[in-house]
Amino acid sequence: MILLNPGPVCLSPGVRRALLAPDLCHREPEFFALQAAVRARLVEVYGLDPSRWAAVLLTGSGTAAVEAMLASLVPAAGRLLVLENGAYGERMSAIARAHAIERVRVDAGWGGALELDSVERALDANPGVSHLGVVHHETTTGRLNRLDALGALCRRRGVQLLVDAVSSFGAEEIDFEGWGLAACAATGGKCLHGVPGLGFVVARRDALAAACRPARSVYLDLALHHAEQDRGGTPFTPGLPAFYALAEALRELAEQGGWRARQARYRSLAQRVARGLERLGIEPLLPAGDSSVVLRSYRLPEGMLYAFLHDELKKRSFVIYAGQGALSADLFRISTMGEIADGDIDRLLDAFAEIVRTGEGDPE
Ligand SMILES: *Cc1c(COP(=O)(O)O)cnc(C)c1O
């Protein structure tokens, strides 16, 4: 099966083999070495200085990492401004609500562009805002939110920038120092090509040192995980196979040329898909310049239901992804993250051509 959903991804043979590594106790030095290697490689993905930045690992999905970042790094007296233009921005707001973090929001509507002016107005109207939460790649629609000017604004206002980079880490540019990030949350199971179940936060060490005390959560307390991991330990039982997989996936990423090479690879696959679909009259939701290289949303062919398209493609070994929520009636999504070959895309496009032809021939 070729997975064209935004994670879990098709694994490389090396990552699949890594899952079969020997049984391991997480209180033994072999695990501490594995954990230290994964943490070091994560900080290396964007060439960060390990004396200023730390990767903190957390067994859980991407949402666990985002929740740990927000619940841990916004202090009790802090206030969070959340920028929303899709389901994951809304999720950041839901997390803030669940932890009783004081919160204001700027809502650009699903798929809309985040305008700097409206962020500036929200900061003017809410001088107590200490942190800003934003999704880098809003997987709901494929829009890549631009963080350079936003980061500069946060820096001018003394606001800490917290980024959901779950579906961009490893495949899009993230200029931690230049954009002034305090932290970003991500997962090993998307653009890094590991398996689901291991989330992480890459944070400035001084932001971790200022973590909320008392903690809002026991399991999602980043400062606790950070202290234990720096000491060469772990507070809870980690998802070991996901560690093995991510260690190998990060080794392969570095060997293949790092995030820049992955970005180029994803872009080439995404363009192959877009050009092929365009020939069939299937239009993208957003112009290529507004989209990530990771995922694009397309309009369903006139009169075709998503379920029909999905099932016909699945019969031919391809899994695509529905539009989220209300968008499911009009859109479908294709992500080219994971171990995908050019030939897979060519077969996908052949399948599309066949389905569009028969779909039109069928008066049903
Ligand atoms: C996938 C994703 C998440 C988290 O999803 P999980 O199912 O918890 O792994 C969060 N934010 C974005 C932008 C995502 O794409």
Side-chain angles (χ1 to χ4, degrees):
M1 202 57 82
I2 303 295
L3 300 183
L4 300 168
N5 49 287
V9 299
C10 288
L11 301 179
S12 74
V15 171
R16 192 180 305 286
R17 269 195 307 277
L19 289 170
L20 298 176
D23 298 331
L24 196 56
C25 170
H26 66 292
R27 301 289 177 209
E28 294 295 327
E30 291 82 359
F31 171 70
F32 304 146
L34 173 63
Q35 175 173 258
V38 171
R39 295 182 68 210
R41 285 174 202 173
L42 284 172
V43 169
E44 277 163 25
V45 170
Y46 288 96
L48 300 176
D49 173 358
S51 71
R52 275 175 55 74
W53 297 88
V56 184
L57 302 170
L58 202 69
T59 292
S61 81
T63 303
V66 176
E67 185 157 359
M69 174 176 73
L70 297 180
S72 303
L73 298 187
V74 182
R79 187 184 285 186
L80 178 69
L81 170 60
V82 180
L83 310 188
E84 299 176 10
N85 61 348
Y88 295 103
E90 291 181 2
R91 189 173 292 176
M92 281 185 132
S93 278
I95 289 169
R97 237 182 353 260
H99 292 279
I101 296 170
E102 228 191 299
R103 168 195 67 110
V104 285
R105 50 198 275 272
V106 166
D107 184 359
W110 283 25
L114 298 174
E115 303 293 349
L116 212 58
D117 283 358
S118 47
V119 179
E120 213 153 4
R121 277 197 301 277
L123 289 175
D124 287 340
N126 299 278
V129 168
S130 57
H131 291 69
L132 185 143
V134 64
V135 178
H136 187 205
H137 169 215
E138 195 27 286
T139 324
T140 308
T141 55
R143 180 180 285 279
L144 188 68
N145 289 319
R146 305 290 160 184
L147 301 186
D148 43 0
L150 189 65
L153 173 62
C154 287
R155 186 170 275 178
R156 280 201 303 281
R157 299 295 189 105
V159 170
Q160 301 281 310
L161 180 57
L162 303 177
V163 177
D164 170 346
V166 175
S167 64
S168 56
F169 193 100
E172 295 284 1
E173 181 186 16
I174 305 176
D175 184 354
F176 284 76
E177 295 283 358
W179 300 346
L181 267 62
C184 80
T187 169
K190 290 193 180 180
C191 306
L192 293 176
H193 297 185
V195 297
L198 187 52
F200 60 90
V201 175
V202 175
R204 271 198 343 256
R205 288 184 182 273
D206 61 355
L208 287 165
C212 182
R213 283 292 174 265
R216 292 188 175 93
S217 162
V218 173
Y219 187 77
L220 298 176
D221 178 11
L222 269 189
L224 170 67
H225 287 270
H226 178 228
E228 292 276 333
Q229 289 174 18
D230 266 7
R231 200 177 300 139
T234 176
F236 311 109
T237 310
L240 285 150
F243 279 70
Y244 277 132
L246 186 53
E248 171 62 13
L250 288 166
R251 199 196 59 73
E252 291 179 6
L253 174 66
E255 184 181 85
Q256 291 161 10
W259 72 264
R260 286 183 182 81
R262 184 143 300 167
Q263 184 187 46
R265 176 68 191 143
Y266 281 11
R267 181 175 285 127
S268 140
L269 288 167
Q271 284 171 348
R272 207 179 184 90
V273 173
R275 278 197 296 263
L277 292 183
E278 195 184 336
R279 279 194 294 273
L280 299 171
I282 298 174
E283 298 287 334
L285 173 72
L286 298 172
D290 289 344
S291 288
S292 73
V293 298
V294 179
L295 172 143
R296 288 196 197 169
S297 294
Y298 293 92
R299 298 186 189 283
L300 283 163
E302 190 68 34
M304 190 180 286
L305 293 176
Y306 173 76
F308 172 79
L309 177 62
H310 168 272
D311 294 354
E312 287 299 313
L313 285 169
K314 193 167 178 189
K315 280 184 210 159
R316 296 162 174 86
S317 299
F318 295 100
V319 172
I320 60 165
Y321 217 44
Q324 226 148 343
L327 297 180
S328 63
D330 304 315
L331 299 181
F332 66 93
R333 292 179 286 174
I334 291 192
S335 168
T336 41
M337 67 170 65
E339 197 72 7
I340 307 287
D342 290 350
D344 296 327
I345 300 302
D346 294 341
R347 287 191 298 113
L348 171 77
L349 292 169
D350 289 346
F352 258 102
E354 200 178 286
I355 294 162
V356 168
R357 260 199 319 273
T358 53
E360 277 168 357
D362 183 358
E364 173 192 49

